Amino acid sequence: MNDVRADFRPHTGVTPIRWQRDQPRPFGYVNGHAEDPITGETLVMVRWPGTLTDIPCRATELAILD
């Protein structure tokens, strides 16, 4: 299993793997990590354009920008 904290370091650019085709693709950046209190899964905290707070996302839902 990949280490989420090593793969998704702070300030790494990300985009969702799935999005609505009729909408522009959003690009955000990693702002940190959090742990899901129920499952214990490490989540990636992403700041998306237009949001005031970081949004928790699963690493399997994100692609890293080159």
Side-chain angles (χ1 to χ4, degrees):
M1 185 173 178
N2 293 339
D3 183 16
V4 172
R5 293 181 190 269
D7 292 340
F8 292 92
R9 294 188 173 147
H11 307 292
T12 300
V14 293
T15 189
I17 293 174
R18 295 182 181 173
W19 83 103
Q20 295 179 2
R21 299 255 180 222
D22 59 340
Q23 299 291 323
R25 181 183 274 275
F27 297 101
Y29 63 91
V30 176
N31 223 14
H33 300 89
E35 187 173 314
D36 185 330
I38 296 171
T39 64
E41 179 182 13
T42 301
L43 301 173
V44 181
M45 300 300 289
V46 179
R47 178 66 57 98
W48 298 107
T51 62
L52 299 176
T53 60
D54 300 334
I55 308 294
C57 301
R58 288 187 171 86
T60 57
E61 299 171 344
L62 299 172
I64 296 174
L65 301 175
D66 289 345

